[in-house]
């Protein structure tokens, strides 16, 4: 496991003791496979953040904890690491704790380990459930500021929420859907990855309210708990299409769009309008191929920059600022894709 980093830096990145890292690096045994994987991930993270490791300045070690599909966490990691150099003279280092799905208890244990080990801040995307809210309270009580990203925990002790106004995003999707469907008949499939994420709940309410106000004749067919993963999403969409022969449009709140389109194709069904969220790798390709009508997007780099600034303000490293404003909602079509997405 060759690397140019001191053991103390690897230990800090992994959140392990120097003795444990030394045992892994020198193959002394007596270490769990999961611990060896943590050391490997830490070295990979250090390699990507090599410039930050060499800098001298006030250092902030921030933990990024997210439950989301891999395509989204990859986009978040890339956005954060692209922003790190802009945070000088401070030096921000990041540890990543990503999972696609799993019991809430595992997520809570991750947050509690961070509280015990210490951190300068946590940037969090998690379900809005009491157990997570309580864990955020324990982090804040330990002096670790928490910023929610993309989806909020409004009843928690978090310092700020960074992201879009999701209810407005849902209403925007309803407006676009109504305009593009026009007088054509058909029902609309709304797809959530989970009912426990606040942002998806708000989007669904905004969409439902907008459709009720402007197009009350449209029937909305909801599916949920696909976790934004293609394998589960395909089965849910196919079953919905089999039950309802009048579905001809999709508002995808939680992702899994490749699987959704495959279900339509396999049943020989047309999807006349498809509105989705986030310019991740999958959606960028689908939009470029004209298989999505529009993507409601927000600048992830701007969001992670604001989240890092909030953590730094909590440590008096930046002057105080007013309330965090919602991120701008961008309506992206195949004809106005941002330059950084067009080549994906």
């Amino acid at each position: 496991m060759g690397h140019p980093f001191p053991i103390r830096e690897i230990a800090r990145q992994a959140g392990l003791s120097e003795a444990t890292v030394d045992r892994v690096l020198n193959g002394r045994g007596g270490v769990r496979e999961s611990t060896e994987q943590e050391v490997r991930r830490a070295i990979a993270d250090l390699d990507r953040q090599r410039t930050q490791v060499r800098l001298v300045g006030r250092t902030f070690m921030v933990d990024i904890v997210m439950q989301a599909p891999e395509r989204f966490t990859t986009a978040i990691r890339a956005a954060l690491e692209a922003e790190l150099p802009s945070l000088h003279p401070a030096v921000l280092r990041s540890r990543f704790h990503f999972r696609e799905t799993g019991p809430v208890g595992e997520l809570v244990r991750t947050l509690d380990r961070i509280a015990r080990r210490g951190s300068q801040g946590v940037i969090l995307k998690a379900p809005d459930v009491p157990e997570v809210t309580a864990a955020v309270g324990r982090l804040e009580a330990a002096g670790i500021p928490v910023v929610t990203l993309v989806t909020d925990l409004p009843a928690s002790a978090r310092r700020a929420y960074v992201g879009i106004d999701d209810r407005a995003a849902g209403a925007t999707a309803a407006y676009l859907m109504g305009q593009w469907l026009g007088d054509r008949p058909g029902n609309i499939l709304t797809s959530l990855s989970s009912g426990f994420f606040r942002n998806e709940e708000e989007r669904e309410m905004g969409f439902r309210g907008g459709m009720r106000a402007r197009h009350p004749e449209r029937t909305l067919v909801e599916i949920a708990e696909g976790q934004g993963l293609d394998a589960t999403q395909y089965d849910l969409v196919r079953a919905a299409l089999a039950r309802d022969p009048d579905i001809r449009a999709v508002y995808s709140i939680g992702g899994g769009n490749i699987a959704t389109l495959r279900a339509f194709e396999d049943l020989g069904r047309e999807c006349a309008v498809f509105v989705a969220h986030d310019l991740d790798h999958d959606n960028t390709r689908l939009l470029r191929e004209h298989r999505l009508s529009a993507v409601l997007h927000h600048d992830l780099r701007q969001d992670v920059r604001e989240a890092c600034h909030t953590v730094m303000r909590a440590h008096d490293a930046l002057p105080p600022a007013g309330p965090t404003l919602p991120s701008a909602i961008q309506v992206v079509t195949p004809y106005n894709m941002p330059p950084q997405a067009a080549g994906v």
Side-chain angles (χ1 to χ4, degrees):
M1 202 183 298
H3 62 87
F5 307 108
I7 286 178
R8 67 177 180 278
E9 288 293 348
I10 300 171
R12 187 181 186 197
Q13 186 72 31
L16 300 169
S17 70
E18 293 185 24
T20 298
V21 172
D22 183 70
R23 291 180 70 86
V24 172
L25 295 179
N26 290 288
R28 295 201 177 95
V31 180
R32 293 191 300 270
E33 174 62 26
S34 60
T35 302
E36 293 183 9
Q37 291 175 358
E38 289 180 28
V39 172
R40 294 190 191 99
R41 282 196 297 269
I43 292 172
D45 288 343
L46 285 169
D47 193 55
R48 282 191 301 271
Q49 301 174 42
R50 188 184 296 261
T51 302
Q52 297 294 105
V53 173
R54 292 173 178 169
L55 292 175
V56 176
R58 185 171 180 184
T59 298
F60 297 88
M61 181 65 79
V62 176
D63 289 271
I64 320 299
V65 183
M66 293 200 161
Q67 179 172 314
E70 186 272 338
R71 62 181 176 273
F72 185 77
T73 56
T74 296
I76 288 289
R77 184 196 291 267
L80 177 62
E81 292 180 344
E83 281 300 308
L84 292 182
S86 72
L87 299 174
H88 303 334
V91 178
L92 192 140
R93 300 260 302 281
S94 50
R95 294 183 291 230
F96 299 97
H97 313 268
F98 293 158
R99 60 186 225 151
E100 290 196 310
T101 186
V104 169
E106 291 181 5
L107 181 60
V108 169
R109 283 192 287 275
T110 296
L111 297 174
D112 285 341
R113 280 198 301 272
I114 294 169
R116 291 192 300 270
R117 182 185 62 203
S119 177
Q120 273 71 55
V122 170
I123 297 173
L124 177 64
K125 179 186 183 296
D128 185 11
V129 295
E131 298 92 330
V132 174
T133 295
V136 170
R138 292 190 290 272
L139 284 162
E140 288 282 353
I144 300 172
V146 178
V147 181
T148 52
L149 182 68
V150 178
T151 185
D152 198 12
L153 303 170
S156 73
R158 55 94 172 118
R159 298 297 175 98
Y161 160 67
V162 176
I164 61 175
D165 179 335
D166 286 292
R167 197 170 294 226
T172 301
Y175 174 79
L176 296 173
M177 187 70 70
Q179 293 291 109
W180 286 335
L181 277 178
D183 295 330
R184 289 177 291 177
N187 299 337
I188 301 169
L189 183 69
T190 63
S191 171
L192 295 84
S193 72
S194 172
F196 292 106
F197 285 101
R198 172 69 61 151
N199 65 330
E200 296 192 17
E201 179 185 25
E202 294 281 343
R203 291 173 187 177
E204 193 276 337
M205 288 190 291
F207 184 78
R208 189 173 293 276
M211 294 302 298
R212 188 184 300 118
R214 300 174 63 89
H215 307 281
E217 75 284 0
R218 297 282 184 192
T219 297
L220 306 185
V221 180
E222 180 180 312
I223 59 172
E225 304 309 318
Q227 306 302 323
L229 304 177
D230 286 341
T232 48
Q233 183 72 6
Y234 177 84
D235 292 336
L236 288 169
V237 175
R238 184 167 180 137
L241 293 175
R243 290 192 303 268
D244 189 334
D246 295 324
I247 294 173
R248 61 179 296 127
V250 174
Y251 174 39
S252 175
I253 298 171
N257 300 325
I258 289 177
T260 297
L261 286 165
R262 182 159 53 87
F264 271 85
E265 292 164 359
D266 288 352
L267 292 175
R269 298 276 289 274
E270 176 198 17
C271 184
V273 181
F274 197 134
V275 179
H277 280 269
D278 300 320
L279 274 181
D280 57 33
H281 185 277
D282 287 355
N283 285 346
T284 297
R285 178 168 63 83
L286 293 174
L287 195 63
R288 190 171 61 240
E289 295 171 354
H290 292 247
R291 299 174 72 192
L292 299 181
S293 307
V295 171
L296 302 181
H297 182 61
H298 51 112
D299 188 338
L300 289 180
R301 286 187 59 170
Q302 177 180 320
D303 286 352
V304 297
R305 185 190 319 131
E306 179 59 30
C308 293
H309 283 169
T310 301
V311 170
M312 293 164 69
R313 289 188 196 102
H315 294 282
D316 298 322
L318 287 175
T324 302
L325 299 176
S327 305
I329 302 168
Q330 305 171 28
V331 179
V332 183
T333 73
Y335 304 101
N336 70 330
M337 295 174 66
Q340 64 271 25
V344 172

